[in-house]
Amino acid sequence: MERVLIANRGEIAVRVIRAAREVGLETVLAASEPDADSYAASLADSVQVIGPAPAAKSYLDGAAVLAAAEASGCDALHPGYGFLSENARFARSVLDAGITWVGPSPDAIELMGNKSRARQAAQGAGVPTLPGSDGALDPDVDPLPIAREVGYPLVVKASAGGGGRGIRLVTQEEDLVQTLDVARAEAQAAFGDPAVYLEQFVSRARHVEVQILGDGERVIHLGDRDCSLQRRQQKIIEEAPAPLLPDAVRDTIRASSIELGRQCGYAGLGTVEFLYDPDREQAAFIEMNTRLQVEHPVTEMVTGIDLIREQLLVAATGRLRLSQEDITFRGHAFEFRINAEDPSQGFMPSPGTLSRLDWPGGPGVRIDSGVVAGSAVAPFYDSLLAKLVVWDETRTEAIQRSARALAEVRIDGVKTTLSLLSTVLHRPEVRDVTHHSKFIESTPDLLGADA
């Protein structure tokens, strides 16, 4: 590998450019027209414009992205996260063009992209799962006996779903058939696949995940994270390691995640996600994400390992240079996603020009950002401005340092979610780890925080 196309934008494009440069790779940024003079574009060795602002005509246009890679002489392609990062068909087209795909095999992406098949694969690898249907429901088979065996409340999930979409709660048997009909229609419209399956519902669960890294033969883990603080199923604060997780649960999810990756012949970075029920001290598989995660910096902060560098090296050499014994953990880290959104207007995106941008500093404080003062925040894309990542020796100290760092941020020109992040951090439920994945949405005063 000598030259890599970064098929993404914003903070993750900046992050990949920096890692690629440190391993000696030239970088080419695939940018939409409005991103052609972005901060990421200023850092890349060159820029290939792939289309107009709408993502469907640029970042999601696989043919345009591949043409940019070929035109610029790139021999590798890093998709970042989102966009085409979990598109098996696109990954195959990249490989067919003789370009290295910085990610897992298309077969692994395809397997884990189908949630019911992924659940079956997880069961085969010994990963704990919740009671549920045996794969996707057959539309010609009466679902009621299957649902009674799973038990109510339960959730109907789209097999091809992702990102929290395609999920419906059923609390009583009378609602099941109608909910299945609606869910199948929604799944067909959203994902082009009407298949759905059933799974037991867990209330007040925490969202815990394990980071794995493999080379197709060997797989290691780099610890766990807690991503329970979410709004509309989008994570806003993450931390590593997952706090107050019993040792037996932590050991089980780490070991079984490795086994799942090993059985998939997994190469590159992946994340195995779980629901953790604190009342029963049990964790169960949700899904596997076959890409780099937004929240990867908290793992980097507690392991001291540059995950994107390792991802690039695995792609370049086909070998994993780290062993499990190389991975040690130190301290505690938080990540705060700072979005250009207006909390007073239902968290509507807040585009504009950043007239002032002051980031915090000091020991243990890191900013991953795709903007600088003067940058325009376009209305076309995800509203993430930056990730504030904070590390300290203990969780309590990391919270105190985070509060200080959040208070130092100054952003003028757009509304942001800073006040929500600060308010959530100070909640006793968060400090005592009694929060859960529905905590923010079930606490109305949090959503009323001013910008």
Side-chain angles (χ1 to χ4, degrees), residues 171-421:
T171 58
Q172 55 186 6
E173 185 169 284
E174 291 74 14
D175 299 334
L176 180 66
V177 172
Q178 183 180 4
T179 303
L180 283 172
D181 289 342
V182 172
R184 285 187 173 114
E186 287 181 347
Q188 176 64 42
F191 310 112
D193 180 353
V196 298
Y197 65 102
L198 304 181
E199 198 170 78
Q200 187 180 74
F201 175 72
V202 180
S203 64
R204 303 177 67 83
R206 281 169 46 200
H207 181 123
V208 173
E209 60 189 33
V210 175
Q211 177 73 67
I212 65 169
L213 175 66
D215 63 9
E217 295 180 3
R218 289 197 304 121
V219 179
I220 62 173
H221 78 80
L222 293 102
D224 44 76
R225 303 184 282 252
D226 188 305
C227 307
S228 303
L229 292 169
Q230 307 177 7
R231 189 181 68 82
R232 295 179 185 168
Q233 298 178 320
Q234 296 297 311
K235 302 162 188 172
I236 64 169
I237 300 175
E238 302 98 340
E239 60 180 301
L244 297 186
L245 202 62
D247 288 344
V249 173
R250 200 184 307 275
D251 292 344
T252 295
I253 62 174
R254 288 177 172 182
S256 61
S257 295
I258 289 176
E259 184 58 21
L260 177 59
R262 197 185 63 75
Q263 292 199 14
C264 294
Y266 200 85
L269 290 172
T271 301
V272 186
E273 299 194 340
F274 297 86
L275 281 180
Y276 171 61
D277 184 345
D279 294 333
R280 294 189 293 179
E281 295 193 350
Q282 293 178 350
F285 175 80
I286 308 173
E287 64 179 346
M288 181 174 178
N289 288 312
T290 53
R291 57 175 166 77
L292 176 69
Q293 293 279 101
V294 179
E295 57 269 29
H296 75 275
V298 290
T299 294
E300 294 183 325
M301 295 293 263
V302 298
T303 61
I305 293 171
D306 181 335
L307 293 186
I308 299 180
R309 179 169 60 188
E310 298 307 320
Q311 185 186 30
L312 289 166
L313 291 175
V314 166
T317 66
R319 303 296 302 168
L320 182 61
R321 66 174 183 165
L322 299 171
S323 64
Q324 194 63 60
E325 291 70 31
D326 295 324
I327 312 302
T328 58
F329 303 97
R330 178 169 175 260
H332 202 96
F334 281 90
E335 176 182 285
F336 302 87
R337 301 192 193 189
I338 302 172
N339 291 324
E341 295 175 355
D342 185 350
S344 67
Q345 298 295 321
F347 294 88
M348 288 281 289
S350 178
T353 299
L354 299 172
S355 54
R356 179 180 179 182
L357 193 59
D358 297 342
W359 296 127
V365 176
R366 160 179 165 181
I367 290 288
D368 281 17
S369 174
V371 293
V372 294
S375 290
V377 180
F380 315 112
Y381 310 113
D382 182 275
S383 61
L384 180 65
L385 289 178
K387 301 180 302 196
L388 167 61
V389 191
V390 180
W391 176 92
D392 211 329
E393 292 284 352
T394 67
R395 186 173 190 267
T396 298
E397 290 168 328
I399 288 174
Q400 292 169 334
R401 180 170 282 172
S402 296
R404 187 270 296 170
L406 281 167
E408 289 182 13
V409 179
R410 294 285 184 277
I411 300 174
D412 290 342
V414 299
K415 296 283 189 178
T416 76
T417 53
L418 271 168
S419 59
L420 173 65
L421 298 172

Side-chain angles (χ1 to χ4, degrees), residues 129 149 270 281 333:
T129 58
E149 192 169 332
E281 295 193 350

Side-chain angles (χ1 to χ4, degrees), residues 229-231 236 420 424 438-444 446-447:
L229 292 169
Q230 307 177 7
R231 189 181 68 82
I236 64 169
L420 173 65
V424 170
K438 301 296 183 186
F439 169 67
I440 292 177
E441 289 169 326
S442 61
T443 311
L446 285 177
L447 299 178

Side-chain angles (χ1 to χ4, degrees), residues 115-160:
K115 300 300 178 285
S116 59
R117 288 180 59 207
R119 175 184 155 86
Q120 290 175 315
Q123 289 171 332
V127 180
T129 58
L130 291 166
S133 59
D134 186 17
L137 292 175
D138 184 336
D140 298 325
V141 172
D142 182 2
L144 295 178
I146 301 171
R148 287 180 196 133
E149 192 169 332
V150 173
Y152 293 92
L154 56 79
V155 288
V156 179
K157 291 187 172 182
S159 293

